[in-house]
Every structure is written in structure tokens, then in C-alpha cells.
Amino acid sequence: MRRAQLDIQLKTPDQIQKMRAAGLVVAEALRRMSAAVAPGVSTADLDAIAEATIREAGAIPSFKGYHGFPASICSSVNEQVVHAIPAADQVLREGDLISIDCGAVLDGWHGDAAVTVGVGEVDPALLKMASVAEDAMWAGIAAAARGAANGRGRLTDISHAVETAVRRGGRYGIVDGYGGHGIGTEMHQDPHVLNHGRPGKGPRLVPGMALAIEPMITMGSPRTVELSDGWTVVTRDRSMAVHVEHSMALLEDGVWVLTAFDGGRARLGDLVTARQPADSPAT
């Protein structure tokens, strides 16, 4: 079923269960890559881990071949914001920050998530920025869950919650033009989910909606430029950037963070659907 105008795909609980399976594949790939991050490791090495993990699970890397993208992950280092292509000659160094974005499709349903990981000893100010982005992501997910539960939620309530959390965390740039999206039988679907804005606007938040929430923030200007490879997006002022993401779905009795091992329970508590067992592992 699809909602009119924005063509928002609403999923049944059984379809969301299938999306959960895809989300867990992504979660495991990100877990393995995060554990492998270290000085001397190349972004191509991480890409190989992702592809092996995804295919081992019987899934397909959803990024590979997407509009010609040549890899299974986006591996954005330091001033790279999103969509950077892994390469054997991009070798991680002590103090780097890497944002790893990964997607998988299993039985026709997509999962999509991203983490930012420090390489060795990292400037505490950069780690704080990554923590602020993660807190903002969870604030957006919580706003979606509460809005769907009370029947008054609108899409931009998520945007407003993300922005408010970022502003509360410090003086960061919220990247212009990029944000989250619907997800389901395609990786990118309506609606686009901005990381800033006034609340109470846009389509209602209802059960069956599945969204990827993905804050991207910088230590400087929010403006970006795309490099000549046609993919890599960097900050215009070359300030450091971070990117985090989870895919989530709204059900009648709560939210399910499809790409979190614990379904979001540790961060969201009783906002999480009963479909996610309370004793599920957090790792």
C-alpha cells in the first residue's frame, strides 16, 4: 500500500519482519568493519569485509552497482561527508575519523545504516561530535515513535528533534541538502527526511512507515562540494564531518530500529515494539 502524493510505501508487520532480517545483516557487517578499523587498514579492506559478510548471509550489497557505484560501502574519512568510494590506497591513520555507510538487500527488502569510528587515539572534540550526531539520530527516532503513538506526529517532527539535539550538543554545521529517506523494496524512497526544520509539517507518522534517519554534521560550515569522481561529498571548508544512520519502522505498538541488534531497546526503552524481545542482545 502507498500513501498518495509522496508515494510513501507502507509495510505490513510481516514485511517489516523481513526488513529486520536485512537490517541485521547490515548490523553485522558494520560490527565486523568497526572492529577492523585501525591504523594501516585501507578502506578497500573494509569494503571486502562488508561484501563477504553480506554475501555470507545470503544477501546482496545494495550499494554495489547502484547508479554505477563500484563498492559495497561508502567509506568517508575526515572531511569526506558521504559517498566516498573505498580504495586500496586510502589507508587509515592514527587520529582519523571514518564514517562507514552500508546497505544490504535480502529477499527483496533493504537495510541501510552508518557508523562513525575513530582510528586509534582521536581528538576528544571529534569524538564528541560523533556522539552528538548519534544522540541526534536517536532523538529523531524517539520523536517518530512518540508522534506515531499519539497520532499527531508529522515528518518534520523528526527533523526538528535532530536539529534540536545537534544545537544542544554544540556549535556544529548541519550538512545542507542531505538527509534520511524512506526505505523498503528500494533503498531510497519517499519521503526525504531533513535533519533540520520546524516541527508539525509534512505527512503524518503512521504505522507501516519505514525510514532511515541519518544526521550528518561538521566542525565548520554545513556547505559541501562533490568531487570529480561524481560521488565523494566533502565539506567546502574541509572541516571534519561525521555521519550516522539507522533504519527504523513504525508499528502499531512502537518503533523497531531494524539495523540495531537490540532493536533500539537500550536507547528507547518502552518505545520499542513488543516484536523486539526485551531480552534481545545489545551486541
Side-chain angles (χ1 to χ4, degrees):
M1 188 169 97
R2 294 178 183 266
R3 293 178 68 82
Q5 298 176 329
L6 280 181
D7 196 25
I8 297 172
Q9 183 187 67
L10 298 182
K11 288 80 172 172
T12 67
D14 286 345
Q15 289 170 336
I16 291 171
Q17 187 83 45
K18 292 180 179 180
M19 291 187 68
R20 170 61 166 168
L24 287 174
V25 174
V26 173
E28 178 61 16
L30 287 170
R31 184 192 69 79
R32 294 186 188 181
M33 285 185 283
S34 297
V37 166
V41 172
S42 76
T43 54
D45 294 333
L46 299 176
D47 185 65
I49 292 170
E51 181 160 6
T53 303
I54 292 167
R55 295 195 186 280
E56 174 187 301
I60 298 168
S62 50
F63 292 8
K64 197 165 190 176
Y66 182 76
H67 296 292
F69 191 78
S72 297
I73 63 169
C74 300
S75 50
S76 305
V77 180
N78 296 338
E79 76 277 4
Q80 297 172 340
V81 182
V82 286
H83 304 162
I85 302 169
D89 61 359
Q90 186 174 42
V91 176
L92 299 176
R93 299 174 299 177
E94 190 89 11
D96 283 344
L97 275 183
I98 179 170
S99 297
I100 309 169
D101 194 356
C102 182
V105 55
L106 181 65
D107 295 331
W109 295 92
H110 286 258
D112 186 12
V115 295
T116 292
V117 182
V119 182
E121 293 293 324
V122 177
D123 183 342
L126 298 179
L127 295 178
K128 180 189 175 186
M129 177 170 61
S131 178
V132 167
E134 184 145 343
D135 288 346
M137 174 185 65
W138 286 107
I141 294 170
R146 294 190 183 98
N150 65 32
R152 299 189 298 274
R154 296 277 188 172
L155 183 70
T156 64
D157 296 348
I158 301 172
S159 309
H160 182 70
V162 170
E163 180 180 12
T164 299
V166 172
R167 301 300 184 212
R168 186 183 301 123
R171 298 187 65 180
Y172 302 107
I174 299 176
V175 173
D176 290 338
Y178 295 88
H181 51 87
I183 186 169
T185 52
E186 297 90 29
M187 182 166 54
H188 293 112
Q189 298 181 326
D190 284 340
H192 183 58
V193 187
L194 290 172
N195 289 316
H196 56 86
R198 298 177 61 185
K201 307 292 183 182
R204 291 194 179 276
L205 298 170
V206 297
M209 291 181 76
L211 304 169
I213 310 302
E214 49 181 321
M216 292 160 243
I217 64 176
T218 76
M219 289 293 282
S221 169
R223 296 190 176 186
T224 61
V225 294
E226 186 178 272
L227 299 186
S228 59
D229 63 12
W231 286 102
T232 307
V233 176
V234 301
T235 53
R236 180 171 290 182
D237 62 2
R238 297 303 191 264
S239 61
M240 299 284 269
V242 297
H243 169 213
V244 294
E245 176 183 19
H246 268 311
S247 296
M248 50 141 279
L250 298 172
L251 291 101
E252 292 288 350
D253 67 340
V255 66
W256 201 352
V257 184
L258 304 171
T259 47
F261 283 113
D262 71 345
R265 183 76 63 186
R267 294 295 299 251
L268 302 175
D270 291 341
L271 290 175
V272 173
T273 174
R275 280 197 165 226
Q276 171 63 39
D279 59 354
S280 284
T283 58

